[in-house]
Amino acid sequence: MNRIHLPLSLSLASLLCLAVAPTAMAQSPTPGVTPESSAERRLDVIELKNGERFEGRVLTELDGYVEFEIEAGSVVGIGRNRVKQIQRGAGRLIQPVLSAIEPSDEWFALHDAEGVAVGWLHVAVVVAAQGMVTITEEYEFVEGRRRYQITSQCRASANLDPLGCYFRERISEPILAIAPGEQDRVVGERIVDCKCAGDRLLVTHADQKGRREREYRWDAAATFPLLARLSARTTGRAIRDVMMFDPATEEFSVRSIAEQRRRAVELGGRTQNVTEIIESGADTSNSVWLDASMRTLRREIAGPALVALPSAARGVKAKVGRARIPAALAREAGGRFGLWVPNPAWRVAETTDPGSIALACDVHGASIGVTRIEHLAVGTPIATAAEAVTNWFRLLHPGMQVVARERHAVRDRIAIRLRAEDSHPRRAQKAIVDVIPHEDAFLVLLCVAPESAWRELLPDFDFVQRTIELAPEGVEPPLSGPLRRREQEAEREAGQRLRRRGGTPRGEARGTRSPARSKTLSPTPAGRSRSMPPKRELPTVRIPRQPPVRK
C-alpha cells in the first residue's frame, strides 16, 4: 500500500509522515464498527478547502487527522483542518472482488502475569473491494499520566502475497488543550514502514533522531508475522521454518506455526473443544485458542505472562486495572521456585506441603507437581538422588513401571529424567519425573496424565519443564528494561525536588537506591539469566521482554 502525506510543517510530524501516516491507534474503542462488507457499495467523496476533490474510502477520521484510500494500495493522510467536507457514499458505485479471507473485528482485554487487566487490543481484518487484505493490530496501555500505543499492520494481495507492513509505537501524555485534537503531547514515537519490491524489501525507519532507509533481500517464501498468522488460521496448514521480517524488532527471524490441533478445555465452568494454534521462534512461543466459528477465545501475546481475552468494544477500557483472571505464575510458599501455568486448562491445586506446588487438569484427570526434597544429605550425587526418587515414585504409584532413565537439561541444570507407564486397561497412564538440583537439595517435577490424553497434554508438560523458575529472582524479578528506566527517572525527579527543599533523597544516606515500588513478571527463557540484556526492549507497559519457548 503506497501512502501519500501532504506536508504539514518542518517538524517531527512531517518527518514521520514521510514514512507512513498514523492509523486509528489513537482513537478510543468505538462500538458498532464492523469490517467492510463484501456487498457492492459507493465510494466516499473528500473535498479539500483548496478545491481538490477525491473519491475513495475513508479509513481514519480522528484527532484532527483524516486518512483515506483513493485506489488499491494508495492511501492519503491529511490534517482535518484542510478538509472542507466529507460525503460518505456519495461517489461512484464499485463492484467487490470475492476473497477467501473473511473480514473480522475483535476486541480484547490484556492481562499480565498477575492476572490484572493492563490494556486493550483491537484486531481487524479488512478485505478491500479489489481483494487486497489488510490486517491491523492496535494495542494501548496506560501507566500513570502516560499512554503507550502500538499499531502493527500488514497488507497482502487476495492470494495473501505480502505487499508491505507498518509498525508504530507512540508515547504521549496529556497537556492543556489549546486547539481541537491537541489533547496529548507526544514524548516518543517510532515508525517503521516496509514495502515489498520484487526480490527486495524496502524499510524506512523514522523517529525523533531522524529518518533512515534500508534495503534487504526478500525471498519468495518470506512473509510477515501478522500475515503468517492469518494464513495459518485461514488454511489450517502448518508453516514450518519460514523467514519472517518483524517490523517491531526490525529483524528477520525463522518462525513456525504448528498445524491446528483440537483439545478439550474448561472455560467458564464448562468443558468445550477448542482449536489451538502455536507459533514458535528462537525466543518466542504463543498459542491461540479458537472456538468452532474460528473466533478467538484466548491469545498469548508473550506466553502466559500477557494474554488477550475477548471483550466488547464498549467496555474494554473500563476493565483496565479492574478486571482480573487467575495469576499465571504459581509460587512456592517460601518464594524459592515457581511454575508457570501453561493455560486455563490447568488450575493451581491446594497443597498442604509448603515446599511444593500442584497444578490440576480436571478435564483429563492429569496433574503437574513439583516438590523440594531436603532429607538427603548435602552433597548427595544426583544419580543417588534419582535412585531415591525412583523408590519413592514406585511406592506412590505401585502400578507404574519406570521404563527409561536419562540425563536431561532442565533450564541451565543437568537433571535426570524418568519415564514411567502403567499399561493396565482400566488405568493406562504415563508419567515424566525430573530430578533437578536446587541449591543444596533437589526438586522433583512430576507430570502424570492418562494415556488417552498424553499426546494432547505433552506440549503443556514440555512448557512447564522449559519454564520452571528455579531461583527466587525468577519468582519475584526486579524491575528491568523500560520499566526500570522509568523507575529510575521518577527516583531522580523526586530526589531533585527533595534537594531543592533542603532534604535528603530516600536511600541516598545509605548509599543505596530506593527499592522498586512494583514488579513485572515474565517467564525466563531456558538457558538465559535475567541479568542478561534482551535482544530489544519494547517501550510498552508490562509487555515481557523474553517470552517462554514452547516447542
Side-chain angles (χ1 to χ4, degrees), residues 8 12 31 67 70 82 109 119 136-137 140 169 247 250 273 294 368 371 384-385 415 436 453 489 509 518 520 551:
L8 299 176
L12 175 61
E67 183 176 280
I70 56 177
R82 301 184 63 180
T136 304
E137 293 187 352
E140 181 168 317
E169 54 187 7
E250 300 184 51
N273 291 319
M294 301 304 286
I368 298 173
T371 301
T384 303
I436 310 165
E489 291 171 2
S518 61
T520 295
K551 295 183 179 178

Side-chain angles (χ1 to χ4, degrees), residues 24-30 106-111 117-123 137-142 147-151 301 306-309 311-313 315-320:
M25 180 61 204
Q27 66 183 342
S28 299
T30 304
E106 298 178 290
W107 293 88
F108 303 89
L110 298 176
H111 295 261
V118 294
W120 56 263
L121 164 65
H122 179 210
V123 181
E137 293 187 352
E138 303 169 335
Y139 300 81
E140 181 168 317
F141 301 84
V142 175
R147 180 167 59 162
Y148 299 81
Q149 300 165 300
I150 290 181
T151 297
I301 307 299
L306 189 69
V307 298
L309 299 181
S311 175
V316 68
K317 292 189 73 174
K319 291 184 176 182
V320 177

Side-chain angles (χ1 to χ4, degrees), residues 389-406:
V389 170
T390 301
N391 296 332
W392 161 80
F393 179 79
R394 287 170 177 163
L395 290 175
L396 292 180
H397 303 273
M400 300 192 74
Q401 300 294 321
V402 176
V403 297
R405 173 172 166 167
E406 59 192 9

